[in-house]
Amino acid sequence: MSDKLQKKTSESLKENSQYALAFGLIATMLFVAGFPLFVIFFFGIFAYVLWKTFSQPSRSETREIFEFYLSANELLRDDERRWFGFEVQEVIARGERILQLMNGAPPLVYFTLGALYNKIGDYKSASNHLAYVLENENADEATFNYPSPDLRNYVRILRKIEREPAEAPQTSAAVRSLERARRNRGKTLLENSRLLLKEQEAKKQEAAFAEKKQKELAQKNAEKTVEKIFVSVVQNEPGAYSIDNGREVSSTENQPTPNDSANHKKKKQKNTDDPFANRKPISEVLHDIYDSK
């Protein structure tokens, strides 16, 4: 970020000078008390390492909060820039990390996260964060009576920025913009998130119902296909039965057998050998006689 919360060089020099002054005073007292110089020197190095170890995270976490405000304000601003999805996700991850690491995170962090979740369409997370800020009495700044060291350090820097906005103009503008959005658009964002969340859930239910109906229809079609195949196979099998005028008829009933063929040949041969095979019946002969008269 181009906007610096504090001038690093002057701040580092100020911190080192304070440590040097304190160490010089303590070292003088120890030397007068008769401690060897190497013990005093070792004690000074050890104290400096401990001081840097336990003091640096608090400052870095506080700085990260204001950098989160800067990035989030750029994303939430109504301009014509088009942001990539991973950019928004990275800023959201930074805000979530602040909530995890900081004991008693500022309510503005929750609101900013809720607005970012609303922007990407995660309306459930947006509703949760916005509801915590707008509907929870414990989320009001006036209820923070016993602050953690991180929160105290955050408030100290915040008040300094508010008193001297020229030292961090972009950070000051980002904080004011987010606070104004929280005051003017917070309830609207919460209602919008809840409404869109209901619509999303309704669409999911409709999609699940349609998918279920489609699966049932596909299962019915599969059962019908299997039934048709089964009937076709059964009808084509030897000895299968079919319906003929309400009577079950075997498929082999009308099929000629070798015995039937032999009987037919014998009958035909018998008719050929008989000289009277073509003789007319007596009724036809009498009928012809009467017709001739």
Side-chain angles (χ1 to χ4, degrees):
M1 297 293 176
S2 60
D3 182 25
K4 302 297 182 181
L5 301 177
Q6 295 174 344
K7 295 181 179 179
K8 293 184 179 180
T9 304
S10 60
E11 185 68 20
S12 178
L13 181 61
K14 181 180 178 180
E15 291 177 356
N16 291 333
S17 61
Q18 290 177 352
Y19 174 78
L21 181 62
F23 174 72
L25 180 61
I26 296 174
T28 302
M29 294 174 61
L30 293 176
F31 181 75
V32 172
F35 283 87
L37 290 177
F38 73 91
V39 174
I40 297 174
F41 179 77
F42 176 78
F43 173 76
I45 297 297
F46 181 71
Y48 181 78
V49 171
L50 289 179
W51 176 56
K52 283 293 184 181
T53 301
F54 290 101
S55 62
Q56 186 65 26
S58 177
R59 292 197 303 273
S60 63
E61 289 175 6
T62 304
R63 183 182 299 276
E64 189 174 357
I65 294 174
F66 290 101
E67 290 179 352
F68 169 68
Y69 288 161
L70 283 170
S71 302
N73 184 59
E74 290 181 355
L75 294 173
L76 296 173
R77 234 175 9 206
D78 293 332
D79 52 16
E80 296 181 356
R81 284 190 291 180
R82 302 177 66 89
W83 299 94
F84 288 93
F86 71 89
E87 294 180 291
V88 185
Q89 292 291 345
E90 287 177 355
V91 177
I92 290 176
R94 185 184 301 176
E96 292 289 354
R97 185 168 58 251
I98 292 171
L99 295 183
Q100 293 177 359
L101 297 178
M102 186 174 183
N103 184 18
L108 188 59
V109 175
Y110 286 93
F111 169 78
T112 306
L113 274 174
L116 290 173
Y117 277 122
N118 179 273
K119 184 179 180 66
I120 65 173
D122 188 352
Y123 300 112
K124 183 176 181 180
S125 299
S127 300
N128 293 336
H129 285 85
L130 293 173
Y132 172 78
V133 177
L134 300 173
E135 297 180 349
N136 188 4
E137 295 180 355
N138 295 327
D140 187 78
E141 284 83 352
T143 61
F144 287 77
N145 296 320
Y146 304 99
S148 63
D150 294 334
L151 182 60
R152 187 181 293 278
N153 190 33
Y154 163 80
V155 173
R156 180 179 60 81
I157 297 177
L158 176 64
R159 300 305 176 222
K160 182 178 180 181
I161 292 174
E162 291 175 347
R163 287 191 299 267
E164 301 174 359
E167 291 190 2
Q170 294 183 10
T171 303
S172 177
V175 173
R176 289 199 307 269
S177 177
L178 293 173
E179 287 288 0
R180 186 166 53 251
R182 173 188 172 187
R183 183 173 59 255
N184 298 334
R185 299 173 49 221
K187 292 183 178 180
T188 303
L189 278 175
L190 178 58
E191 293 175 358
N192 177 262
S193 299
R194 286 174 172 172
L195 179 62
L196 294 176
L197 177 60
K198 290 181 180 179
E199 292 180 358
Q200 278 187 347
E201 292 177 350
K203 289 181 180 179
K204 288 181 181 179
Q205 292 178 356
E206 291 178 359
F209 180 75
E211 184 178 359
K212 182 179 179 181
K213 294 292 290 184
Q214 187 175 2
K215 288 182 179 180
E216 292 178 355
L217 181 61
Q219 185 176 1
K220 289 181 180 179
N221 293 335
E223 291 176 355
K224 290 181 179 179
T225 303
V226 171
E227 184 178 355
K228 289 180 180 179
I229 295 174
F230 177 76
V231 171
S232 176
V233 170
V234 169
Q235 289 179 350
N236 293 331
E237 286 183 353
Y241 288 89
S242 61
I243 305 299
D244 184 12
N245 294 329
R247 183 174 65 89
E248 290 187 355
V249 180
S250 174
S251 60
T252 59
E253 185 175 334
N254 296 325
Q255 293 180 359
T257 61
N259 294 331
D260 293 340
S261 300
N263 294 333
H264 181 70
K265 289 180 179 180
K266 289 180 180 180
K267 185 176 180 180
K268 186 175 181 181
Q269 184 177 4
K270 182 179 180 181
N271 293 335
T272 305
D273 297 339
D274 190 1
F276 302 102
N278 296 325
R279 186 177 60 182
K280 293 182 179 181
I282 187 63
S283 59
E284 292 184 5
V285 174
L286 293 175
H287 187 273
D288 292 339
I289 293 172
Y290 284 111
D291 288 341
S292 62
K293 290 181 179 183

